[in-house]
Amino acid sequence: MDATTATVLVADDDRAIRESLERALQLEGYTVRTVADGVQALAAVHSDPVDLLILDVMMPGVDGLGVARVLRAEHDRTPILMLTARVETPDRVAGLDAGADDYLAKPFELDELLARLRALLRRAAPVPGDPEGGTLRVGELALDPRARRVWRGDREIELSKTEFDLLELLVRNAGIVLDHATIYDRIWGYDFGPESKNLAVYISYLRRKLEDGGPPLIQTVRGVGYTLRPQG
């Protein structure tokens, strides 16, 4: 899927941001719908599904986090890019907890937003007849790429789209240290540079879900990157 066929819903209570995003995305070939709050966003998605959502965190009534939680509770896996004025790690994690696939701090560069949208749409596109299908196993971790399901032992783990893609990349390269630039390119299709905390936030959140008091699976190689290598 690409911009020529993708429909994006923008939910932001700031009219200027809504209108500027609408114009910019339309110029890129997207079909764009806009709403001013979370209640309208949910109603819009329920009445006519979209390919991607851009949600402002701070909206009156139901905020962006609330919209994400409702959709994920309904098993709606539409990719969500969260816009936030808050850049601290706890705020980023709150967005991931709610089910967002990516986040972008305001103010942002349009080129970066467009790059993230393209990456989300690429990951959302189905891959018919994936030759790499079949359950992948590393120790007690099992990952089914086709069904997009993950288990550790007998416990199934719910992951967002970005979390699943990141884990699948690590599983397919188990024992190999992947550097930050490689991971950014493979998962986001865009290298956000050494100052970005994006990858670290997703790794920490993935660890919390996978480990749950058990032995660590994802190892940090300082100054290089990450690897999936069960210990013990």
Side-chain angles (χ1 to χ4, degrees):
M1 183 187 305
D2 57 28
T4 61
T5 59
T7 298
V8 179
L9 177 67
V10 177
D12 196 307
D13 62 329
D14 187 321
R15 181 178 176 180
I17 291 178
R18 284 201 312 274
E19 293 181 348
S20 63
L21 280 178
E22 182 176 23
R23 288 193 299 270
L25 294 176
Q26 286 175 340
L27 286 173
E28 294 294 320
Y30 292 95
T31 298
V32 185
R33 292 154 57 191
T34 65
V35 294
D37 58 48
V39 172
Q40 294 178 29
L42 288 170
V45 173
H46 289 154
S47 65
D48 190 6
V50 297
D51 299 304
L52 192 146
L53 292 97
I54 300 176
L55 302 176
D56 182 36
V57 170
M58 301 298 289
M59 291 187 290
V62 178
D63 62 12
L65 300 180
V67 173
R69 291 190 188 99
V70 169
L71 293 177
R72 296 311 186 226
E74 295 172 346
H75 305 291
D76 185 321
R77 305 307 303 168
T78 303
I80 294 174
L81 173 64
M82 201 77 77
L83 300 180
T84 176
R86 299 173 176 175
V87 296
E88 290 79 10
T89 295
D91 298 306
R92 293 167 174 166
V93 171
L96 303 180
D97 274 332
D101 296 287
D102 202 355
Y103 64 88
L104 191 58
K106 296 179 180 180
F108 52 83
E109 295 291 335
L110 179 60
D111 285 346
E112 182 174 357
L113 180 138
L114 293 173
R116 294 192 186 211
L117 295 190
R118 290 193 295 268
L120 285 172
L121 289 171
R122 281 197 302 271
R123 298 205 306 275
V127 185
D130 180 3
E132 295 184 295
T135 301
L136 307 174
R137 299 182 184 277
V138 178
E140 61 179 358
L141 184 70
L143 181 147
D144 184 339
R146 291 176 181 264
R148 297 185 70 84
R149 299 174 69 185
V150 177
W151 299 264
R152 183 164 187 180
D154 295 328
R155 178 173 65 93
E156 185 168 1
I157 302 166
E158 291 288 332
L159 300 179
S160 73
K161 182 180 295 295
T162 299
E163 293 161 5
F164 185 93
D165 291 342
L166 177 55
L167 180 60
E168 182 180 359
L169 177 64
L170 292 170
V171 167
R172 290 190 185 279
N173 294 276
I176 299 172
V177 179
L178 299 176
D179 61 54
H180 296 83
T182 296
I183 297 174
Y184 273 126
D185 181 65
R186 294 284 296 277
I187 299 302
W188 283 273
Y190 186 87
D191 186 353
F192 300 116
E195 300 303 315
S196 174
K197 303 296 183 182
N198 210 37
L199 177 56
V201 169
Y202 275 92
I203 288 288
S204 65
Y205 192 53
L206 198 52
R207 280 171 168 156
R208 284 169 48 194
K209 285 193 173 183
L210 290 175
E211 294 171 8
D212 193 28
L217 293 173
I218 301 173
Q219 314 298 328
T220 300
V221 180
R222 294 194 178 280
V224 182
Y226 301 96
T227 183
L228 187 75
R229 190 165 50 220
Q231 293 182 338

